[in-house]
Amino acid sequence: MGKLAVYKYLSFLMLVATFAVAVFTFFGLFGGNVPPAGNTARAMLVYVLPLLIIADALLLVYWLIRRRWHWAAIPALTLLCCIPYIGTLFQYHAVDDTADSKKGLKIATYNVALFNRETTGFIALDILAQMKKQKVDVLCMQEYTNVSGNKTNSESYSTYFPYMAKGKDDMVIYSRYPVTAQKTITFENTNNSAMWADINADGHLVRVVNVHLETTGFSRTMHQAAKLRANGTDIESNRLLRAIYDKYTWGMMVRAGQAITVSNELRKDQIDGQSLVVCGDFNDVPYSFVYNTLLGDLVDGFKECGRGRMFTYRGGKSVRIDYIFHDKSLKGLTYYKTDLSYSDHYPVFMKVEF
């Protein structure tokens, strides 16, 4: 009798866990539909969605092994609802070998991290060489600096990109096609910003929006904690966790406001028939409020024509925080990243046709 009671008790706990994980997963899937302010717990579930999906998969295997088909249906249905989210991280589109021969516009976004503060100009020139190799037509950079070696980067880049739109501080858009108009979008109380440039690509008018939103501050908090510990300062684990949580929630709310500002500016003064591309370092994950706000009725290029697993941050967190979106007047041909190691981000590339 004792073994049977324990067996039933464990089964009950697994059933409770199955319901709980399913509920948290659904809250995570819809956590980006509401602003983080006042909904921080729900918004935070978006960040742990991959872990929740793994838990759902393990619970599905458990109930299948137990042959409890009715209970297995709970994680199975939950996983089916997660397919659109999984598509923002994994895609299996076939490689289009004809993409390079098709007419279109090749766009790249890259947070260059001030070219790693390298002073000889080598990194900036090597990145330029990579852009030439990838046949990029429009390059959006965040954390850009024009100071590099004996020659400014704008001078070096003008040999391949004759047109340039400069935003606030560290934002720039380089183009092989004429820039007909531009605008800087500023955010309050931060160095981050956004900008757009109208580009005439052989008669096709395109508004390219370059975005750099507030960082989470996670890495900075961990660095400060490590520095204090190295100096002999004792930091309690709960204090560190609280500091990390505060940084995340503060960053979420700031980015949410910035995303709304950019979204409101996207189509202001837009010319009829003009296409729209939104790209940059959003510092936020898919399905977050920031992602949903900037995506709107646009197309996520990776979901359209990406391939394999997509993550764009090179640090300890393998997350996707750099994006290229476009409106439905454009069609995606290719979407990928390359393994340049000059920054804590990977550059992202997309080719579209009109």
Side-chain angles (χ1 to χ4, degrees), residues 157-267:
Y157 277 57
S158 65
T159 59
Y160 182 74
F161 296 106
Y163 305 98
M164 180 184 78
K166 187 74 173 67
K168 176 187 173 184
D169 300 329
D170 64 344
M171 300 288 284
V172 69
I173 297 175
Y174 281 110
S175 174
R176 297 184 65 197
Y177 296 103
V179 175
T180 59
Q182 66 182 81
K183 183 179 180 179
T184 297
I185 305 170
T186 58
F187 308 137
E188 293 182 1
N189 304 318
T190 180
N191 291 325
N192 296 77
S193 64
M195 64 176 296
W196 58 254
D198 287 345
I199 293 169
N200 188 332
D202 292 334
H204 297 284
L205 303 179
V206 186
R207 172 163 294 180
V208 179
V209 185
N210 185 12
V211 180
H212 186 205
L213 303 185
E214 191 73 31
T215 185
T216 60
F218 172 82
S219 300
R220 191 181 303 114
T221 301
M222 293 299 291
H223 176 73
Q224 290 171 348
K227 194 172 181 180
L228 289 171
R229 280 177 172 160
N231 292 332
T233 304
D234 183 36
I235 301 178
E236 298 175 4
S237 296
N238 60 340
R239 284 179 57 200
L240 181 58
L241 289 172
R242 182 66 193 178
I244 293 171
Y245 179 79
D246 288 344
K247 283 287 185 182
Y248 261 109
T249 54
W250 177 81
M252 283 192 301
M253 288 184 282
V254 172
R255 282 192 302 277
Q258 294 171 349
I260 292 172
T261 299
V262 174
S263 180
N264 291 337
E265 289 281 345
L266 288 185
R267 291 178 172 85

Side-chain angles (χ1 to χ4, degrees), residues 27-35 42-43 46 49 84-85 88 213 255-256 259-260 263 266 282 284-300 303 323 325:
F27 271 109
L29 289 173
F30 295 98
N33 292 349
V34 293
R42 182 174 168 184
V46 178
L49 265 176
Y85 169 76
T88 64
L213 303 185
R255 282 192 302 277
I260 292 172
S263 180
L266 288 185
F282 298 178
D284 225 322
V285 297
Y287 268 52
S288 65
F289 180 82
V290 165
Y291 174 90
N292 290 341
T293 300
L294 292 177
L295 182 64
D297 60 353
L298 303 179
V299 178
D300 183 336
K303 293 187 71 174
Y323 304 87
F325 300 156

Side-chain angles (χ1 to χ4, degrees), residues 1-268:
M1 264 322 264
K3 287 184 179 180
L4 181 60
V6 171
Y7 180 76
K8 288 184 175 180
Y9 179 68
L10 290 175
S11 295
F12 173 74
L13 289 180
M14 292 300 292
L15 184 58
V16 170
T18 300
F19 276 104
V21 172
V23 169
F24 283 129
T25 302
F26 278 110
F27 271 109
L29 289 173
F30 295 98
N33 292 349
V34 293
N39 303 281
T40 53
R42 182 174 168 184
M44 287 291 283
L45 286 174
V46 178
Y47 293 85
V48 295
L49 265 176
L51 299 178
L52 291 170
I53 290 172
I54 292 171
D56 283 309
L58 293 174
L59 288 165
L60 174 61
V61 171
Y62 170 80
W63 290 118
L64 289 176
I65 292 173
R66 291 280 311 277
R67 297 189 178 184
R68 297 294 191 267
W69 316 119
H70 49 299
W71 299 132
I74 298 171
L77 290 172
T78 304
L79 289 172
L80 285 174
C81 293
C82 291
I83 289 175
Y85 169 76
I86 295 171
T88 64
L89 307 177
F90 299 89
Q91 283 294 334
Y92 298 95
H93 295 288
V95 176
D96 185 357
D97 295 326
T98 65
D100 284 341
S101 62
K102 293 180 179 178
K103 288 185 178 180
L105 191 71
K106 188 75 168 285
I107 303 153
T109 177
Y110 193 15
N111 182 325
V112 295
L114 300 176
F115 299 107
N116 210 17
R117 301 186 185 277
E118 194 265 339
T119 57
T120 67
F122 167 78
I123 289 179
L125 290 174
D126 194 45
I127 290 173
L128 174 60
Q130 293 295 324
M131 297 302 151
K132 290 180 181 178
K133 181 180 178 181
Q134 300 297 329
K135 300 178 181 178
V136 171
D137 297 308
V138 179
L139 170 61
C140 296
M141 285 184 173
Q142 307 88 42
E143 295 192 29
Y144 167 86
T145 177
N146 201 33
V147 179
S148 185
N150 298 323
K151 199 175 185 181
T152 63
N153 289 326
S154 57
E155 290 177 304
S156 300
Y157 277 57
S158 65
T159 59
Y160 182 74
F161 296 106
Y163 305 98
M164 180 184 78
K166 187 74 173 67
K168 176 187 173 184
D169 300 329
D170 64 344
M171 300 288 284
V172 69
I173 297 175
Y174 281 110
S175 174
R176 297 184 65 197
Y177 296 103
V179 175
T180 59
Q182 66 182 81
K183 183 179 180 179
T184 297
I185 305 170
T186 58
F187 308 137
E188 293 182 1
N189 304 318
T190 180
N191 291 325
N192 296 77
S193 64
M195 64 176 296
W196 58 254
D198 287 345
I199 293 169
N200 188 332
D202 292 334
H204 297 284
L205 303 179
V206 186
R207 172 163 294 180
V208 179
V209 185
N210 185 12
V211 180
H212 186 205
L213 303 185
E214 191 73 31
T215 185
T216 60
F218 172 82
S219 300
R220 191 181 303 114
T221 301
M222 293 299 291
H223 176 73
Q224 290 171 348
K227 194 172 181 180
L228 289 171
R229 280 177 172 160
N231 292 332
T233 304
D234 183 36
I235 301 178
E236 298 175 4
S237 296
N238 60 340
R239 284 179 57 200
L240 181 58
L241 289 172
R242 182 66 193 178
I244 293 171
Y245 179 79
D246 288 344
K247 283 287 185 182
Y248 261 109
T249 54
W250 177 81
M252 283 192 301
M253 288 184 282
V254 172
R255 282 192 302 277
Q258 294 171 349
I260 292 172
T261 299
V262 174
S263 180
N264 291 337
E265 289 281 345
L266 288 185
R267 291 178 172 85
K268 279 187 178 179

